[in-house]
Amino acid sequence: MTTQEAAAELDRNDPLAAARKWFLVPPGTVYLDGNSLGALSAGVPERIRRVVAEQWGEHLIGGWSEDGWWDAPLRVGDRIGRLLGAAPGQTVAGDSTSVQLFNSLVAAARLRPGRDVLLMDAAGFPTDRYLAASVARLLGLELREAPMPEFADALADCGERLAVATASAVDFRTGELWDLAGLTEATHRAGGVVVWDVSHAVGAVPLAVDRDGIDFAVGCGYKFLSGGPGAPAFGYAARRHHDHLDQPLTGWNGHADPFAMTPDYRPAEGIGRYRIGTPAVLSLLALDAALDVFDGIDLRRLRAKSLSLSRFFIACVDEHLAGRGFELVTPREDERRGSQLTLGHPEAGRLMAAMIERGFTGDVRPPDLLRFGLNGLYLSHAEILATVHALRSLT
């Protein structure tokens, strides 16, 4: 039974319950939109105050050396890399997801000269679709699309023409989690290189990019990482590719000797060449501060909490919302869910507007999808039950 007593018992036994105090969630708000913008981490305001008042205010340009600003893209990149399952020296933080994806798609395609097909998820996030189409035009590739359930077959159908495959780890509409390891292996069997967008997975789902042989991964810092609005993105490139990386965006930060100011570009060693332009220090260090909450967190435990929340959510929907026009869109199987639950309803827009007025913040994807992000660091089972009760009262 999905009762208040059942929710309270689950919350009493929650090993991550204490993590709630690490976030500044406004009183009276049940925040279910962390898959779009994570809640503010409690340590961020003071960290930014110090960066502005002490580092920038007192050290001025000396902050690049005295305060470690110059190395921050690599240092923060390695912190994110831990959440990706990546060994140090393969991840860079900075720029936007769009920039990182463009850079990675082109670099990946250049690793497979003579091949001319770029295969992408037919229902991918719009930015990913726009950029894949642009890269295909620029490089003279044939852009093919395939639904994710048919992606493995589409990879095989490309034959020896496949250069790059790209998709999102979690479907942004439905919250379905795809088989990264299996599809990466299928890409490699076809002779291609894979680029995963893990924006809706990093910080919520344990990833293993090194173990799974993933070539490239990109993602944002403002969803489950809670790095703040417009937080820097990140790019991962497997070490085996570093000596052959020929990315299109060759900014001065990625130069082997950036302060020599030579007219010709010479790439830095290793992942350093994946740096592009001057980093946005304030937002990068806000992200760095937000990542502190993951220190000491076992991602397997966080995943277990997320699954517990979503299982309870599904049980609540079954018990309290049956016959009220709702459809469960997210898969019921644990292994197929990310940290998001999506419900279909013909009045999705009206319902979410009313929910937000009542203090329950989720979001809508047209035409009829209600999305609820389930961040196990600051959500409780009691809040899930309250959310479903609120939905019931509106239908």
Side-chain angles (χ1 to χ4, degrees):
M1 296 289 290
T2 55
T3 62
Q4 291 182 350
E5 291 75 18
E9 179 67 16
L10 288 167
D11 288 334
R12 277 193 296 272
N13 294 321
D14 174 15
L16 294 178
R20 172 71 174 245
K21 68 177 181 293
W22 302 338
F23 294 88
L24 303 177
V25 179
T29 297
V30 175
Y31 192 61
L32 295 148
D33 208 9
N35 53 320
S36 286
L37 175 65
L40 174 62
S41 299
V44 171
E46 174 59 20
R47 175 71 178 279
I48 292 302
R49 187 203 66 77
R50 293 201 313 269
V51 171
V52 171
E54 299 172 14
Q55 297 182 9
W56 181 14
E58 297 176 11
H59 301 162
L60 298 170
I61 200 169
W64 289 104
S65 55
E66 295 177 50
D67 299 305
W69 296 352
W70 181 261
D71 295 326
L74 300 177
R75 184 177 67 251
V76 178
D78 277 343
R79 298 190 76 186
I80 297 171
R82 183 180 73 84
L83 304 178
L84 298 174
Q90 299 177 98
T91 311
V92 166
D95 301 285
S96 68
T97 310
S98 299
V99 169
Q100 294 287 358
L101 182 60
F102 176 82
N103 214 32
S104 295
L105 287 174
V106 174
R110 287 175 172 171
L111 289 172
R112 293 294 182 267
R115 291 170 170 256
D116 64 350
V117 171
L118 194 168
L119 178 67
M120 71 166 302
D121 171 12
F125 192 77
T127 287
D128 297 32
R129 295 170 57 82
Y130 307 154
L131 286 165
S134 178
V135 168
R137 291 195 304 272
L138 287 170
L139 300 183
L141 304 176
E142 177 189 338
L143 180 64
R144 296 186 185 180
E145 300 182 1
M148 288 304 289
E150 302 170 15
F151 210 73
D153 290 338
L155 288 166
D157 289 343
C158 291
E160 296 182 356
R161 294 181 58 195
L162 179 69
V164 182
T166 186
S168 294
V170 174
D171 188 297
F172 78 100
R173 291 185 179 90
T174 69
E176 181 162 3
L177 173 65
W178 304 111
D179 178 9
L180 273 68
L183 291 173
T184 296
E185 183 181 358
T187 300
H188 292 164
R189 282 200 305 269
V193 179
V194 71
V195 180
W196 284 105
D197 182 343
V198 297
S199 294
H200 288 84
V202 63
V205 176
L207 298 168
V209 293
D210 282 354
R211 185 199 67 195
D212 293 342
I214 289 171
D215 301 289
F216 297 89
V218 302
C220 67
Y222 49 79
K223 298 183 188 296
F224 290 100
L225 298 184
S226 293
F234 58 87
Y236 160 89
R239 194 181 311 279
R240 63 185 176 278
H241 295 312
H242 289 182
D243 291 343
H244 310 289
L245 284 179
D246 181 13
Q247 70 266 27
L249 301 175
T250 50
W252 79 290
N253 269 227
H255 196 283
D257 190 0
F259 293 98
M261 303 298 174
T262 59
D264 299 320
Y265 180 79
R266 182 165 55 89
E269 293 293 323
I271 198 63
R273 69 182 60 191
Y274 231 52
R275 298 176 60 154
I276 303 171
T278 304
V281 171
L282 298 183
S283 57
L284 185 58
L285 296 184
L287 172 59
D288 189 31
L291 292 172
D292 288 348
V293 303
F294 290 98
D295 291 344
I297 289 289
D298 184 334
L299 290 179
R300 293 169 299 181
R301 181 170 286 181
L302 180 56
R303 173 64 170 162
K305 168 72 176 294
S306 166
L307 290 174
S308 179
L309 289 170
S310 59
R311 280 195 298 267
F312 189 68
F313 203 145
I314 291 170
C316 288
V317 169
D318 290 343
E319 184 172 348
H320 301 292
L321 299 183
R324 293 175 179 268
F326 292 95
E327 174 194 1
L328 178 65
V329 176
T330 305
R332 290 180 178 270
E333 301 90 341
D334 282 359
E335 66 276 10
R336 294 179 58 202
R337 290 198 307 277
S339 289
Q340 171 186 320
L341 197 97
T342 301
L343 300 177
H345 195 281
E347 298 184 69
R350 176 189 70 81
L351 288 173
M352 187 54 71
M355 289 288 287
I356 291 171
E357 286 184 0
R358 296 182 179 207
F360 298 87
T361 303
D363 69 13
V364 173
R365 286 294 177 266
D368 58 358
L369 298 181
L370 296 151
R371 299 195 317 166
F372 302 95
L374 306 178
N375 192 316
L377 295 176
Y378 52 77
L379 276 173
S380 68
H381 297 82
E383 288 174 316
I384 297 300
L385 181 61
T387 298
V388 173
H389 282 169
L391 286 169
R392 179 183 173 89
S393 73
L394 293 168
T395 54

